[in-house]
Amino acid sequence: MVTLETDMGPSTRLVHTVLEGLVEGLTILDATGRHLYANDTFCEMTGFARDALIGTTPPFAYWAEGHRAEIHGALERMLREGDFGPFRLVFQRADGSTFPAEVRPARCRVDGELVYFATVRDVSEIEAGREREAELRSLLETMLEAGDLATWEWRPRTGELRASDAWTAMLGYAPGELRASLEALPTRIHPEDLRTARSRRDDLAAGEAKVGEAEVRVLDALDRWRWMLVRGYVTDRDAEGRATRVTGTVHDIHRRKVQEEQLRQLQKMEVLGQLTGGIAHDVNNVLSILRSNLDTLRGEPDIAVRQDCLNEMEDALARVGSLTNALLRYSRRERQSDEAIELGTFLRANRSVLKTALSPRAELSLQVPDAPCWVQASAQ
């Protein structure tokens, strides 16, 4: 009968030290299934002392109630076949709690007799992590099915582009009705947003950016432009740093963009309301000039004086025209395209509008540098 010596020589002590240092539990059985050995890790894992296990025969104390038939079948297979697995069993601790274990059995001969041993690993945390991952995946899928968030994946080398069904749902298409492809995207993205979208895509493909995003308008099933926020993340690269796989999301932000535009128009109207008093004052001043000069023209025979009156009236009318044109541009509802604007020239040209917005007691002073300052913006 095989036994483990208590009076160990140097080589035996070395082996014993190695077995005790294993991070996994280890049990050794003889051909009848009797416990010959259990290392410290296995004892700590189960909560049973080594002396309580050595010499015992099946069913062992760590066999969980309700799982004993399954464990007994695995033991019989181990004694019959030796090497197989790994397989999952449920063991029981000394305090009555249970835990899932991954068991890897093997066998060898010692002094001509077969000895069976198995490594045991507590996989509670691993399985709990898998459960959490499954829950998160289920939650994400639910969010995607809600219709305001979609996922996509792009392979720059092959040009392959795949998108979730939520992408087509956002645009009003049935699942499978609209196929995502790089060739079709330029026809669905607003021409004003296409350059930005291509620039972000090229930066990601070249490896110059790890994350890229762009707000673009996309054509939906009813031929309407819908605002989308597209984000991309480089998830795989080649040896040269170029992206081989890019994944990302598409978020429907159309409602937010519409609300922002409505708020912008409301703010404009509020400012226009504040300007009303100043505008009325300026218009009254112009009307006073026109009346005064008309009265002069009716009874003034001197041509030079009459010409001065006409010039003064023309200047007053030009001032009103400039003011009304600026206000019309400001209150216009449609979004104007950006253009190159020299700030100094723009501020000087709109000085009258700026002055009108101030209190009569306030003084407007423009300090504009001589050097041109160009910006890309809407002049409205």
Side-chain angles (χ1 to χ4, degrees):
M1 181 177 65
V2 177
T3 59
L4 293 181
E5 301 293 339
T6 55
D7 184 14
M8 298 180 289
S11 61
T12 306
R13 283 197 298 272
L14 176 61
V15 172
H16 185 266
T17 301
V18 172
L19 296 181
E20 290 301 324
L22 292 175
V23 295
E24 295 181 333
L26 176 68
T27 62
I28 301 178
L29 311 176
D30 65 13
T32 67
R34 185 172 63 91
H35 246 303
L36 299 178
Y37 174 77
N39 69 354
D40 286 344
T41 303
F42 184 80
C43 294
E44 292 173 1
M45 187 185 301
T46 61
F48 292 101
R50 198 191 327 267
D51 293 342
L53 299 176
I54 301 301
T56 60
T57 56
F60 299 121
Y62 51 83
W63 286 14
E65 294 289 343
H67 297 272
R68 291 194 171 187
E70 177 187 359
I71 301 173
H72 192 272
L75 174 62
E76 289 185 337
R77 184 180 176 187
M78 183 180 75
L79 296 176
R80 182 175 65 252
E81 300 178 16
D83 302 337
F84 72 97
F87 54 92
R88 180 185 181 278
L89 296 174
V90 178
F91 287 157
Q92 181 172 295
R93 301 184 182 91
D95 62 6
S97 61
T98 59
F99 65 94
E102 182 184 82
V103 181
R104 293 176 179 267
R107 66 182 173 183
C108 64
R109 288 191 176 273
V110 178
D111 296 333
E113 295 186 32
L114 280 174
V115 173
Y116 300 82
F117 58 94
T119 58
V120 180
R121 182 168 62 139
D122 185 344
V123 293
S124 300
E125 292 186 4
I126 295 175
E127 293 194 355
R130 290 173 181 166
E131 290 178 1
R132 287 193 296 270
E133 183 180 348
E135 291 174 357
L136 290 174
R137 187 180 297 111
S138 176
L139 178 60
L140 178 59
E141 290 174 354
T142 301
M143 292 173 60
L144 294 178
E145 290 175 359
D148 64 349
L149 183 67
T151 59
W152 54 271
E153 179 180 284
W154 173 44
R155 303 278 181 170
R157 285 183 176 177
T158 62
E160 179 186 7
L161 178 65
R162 293 184 298 174
S164 64
D165 288 341
W167 155 252
T168 55
M170 285 179 187
L171 299 178
Y173 290 96
E177 187 178 355
L178 179 67
R179 188 177 69 88
S181 68
L182 288 180
E183 295 77 14
L185 279 180
T187 64
R188 306 206 69 85
I189 296 179
H190 196 286
E192 293 180 4
D193 305 327
L194 190 56
R195 181 178 178 182
T196 300
R198 283 174 169 166
S199 175
R200 301 293 185 275
R201 179 200 65 188
D202 293 344
D203 288 346
L204 288 172
E208 296 178 4
K210 185 177 180 181
V211 180
E213 70 175 40
E215 292 184 354
V216 297
R217 285 160 289 181
V218 182
L219 200 63
D220 68 9
L222 299 178
D223 290 334
R224 301 172 303 186
W225 294 111
R226 292 194 66 82
W227 280 101
M228 304 284 180
L229 174 61
V230 183
R231 287 194 177 100
Y233 309 84
V234 177
T235 48
D236 286 311
R237 299 176 184 268
D238 60 17
E240 287 74 33
R242 294 186 297 267
T244 57
R245 180 169 173 261
V246 180
T247 57
T249 59
V250 180
H251 187 201
D252 189 341
I253 59 170
H254 189 74
R255 182 182 301 174
R256 190 197 79 191
K257 296 292 285 189
V258 170
Q259 290 174 343
E260 287 177 355
E261 178 62 21
Q262 290 173 343
L263 178 60
R264 192 169 71 94
Q265 292 299 329
L266 286 174
Q267 291 172 337
K268 278 188 174 184
M269 298 311 295
E270 288 178 3
V271 173
L272 284 174
Q274 295 172 0
L275 290 173
T276 301
I279 294 170
H281 179 72
D282 270 10
V283 171
N284 282 331
N285 286 341
V286 170
L287 292 175
S288 297
I289 293 173
L290 293 175
R291 283 195 207 94
S292 174
N293 282 279
L294 282 173
D295 291 341
T296 302
L297 285 172
R298 287 192 183 99
E300 178 58 55
D302 191 321
I303 295 178
V305 174
R306 291 171 65 87
Q307 187 60 48
D308 289 341
C309 289
L310 290 172
N311 290 340
E312 191 173 349
M313 293 171 69
E314 186 177 7
D315 290 342
L317 290 172
R319 180 182 176 190
V320 171
S322 174
L323 178 62
T324 54
N325 286 335
L327 292 174
L328 286 173
R329 288 197 307 271
Y330 184 82
S331 62
R332 194 173 295 141
R333 289 187 176 274
E334 66 271 15
R335 183 181 183 273
Q336 301 298 304
S337 58
D338 291 347
E339 58 182 295
I341 298 174
E342 202 286 299
L343 280 180
T345 303
F346 178 79
L347 291 173
R348 294 187 190 97
N350 290 275
R351 180 188 181 96
S352 59
V353 178
L354 296 173
K355 186 176 181 180
T356 302
L358 298 176
S359 166
R361 294 187 297 273
E363 182 178 347
L364 176 64
S365 174
L366 290 180
Q367 296 181 356
V368 181
D370 295 332
C373 179
W374 292 93
V375 295
Q376 193 75 14
S378 171
Q380 65 172 323

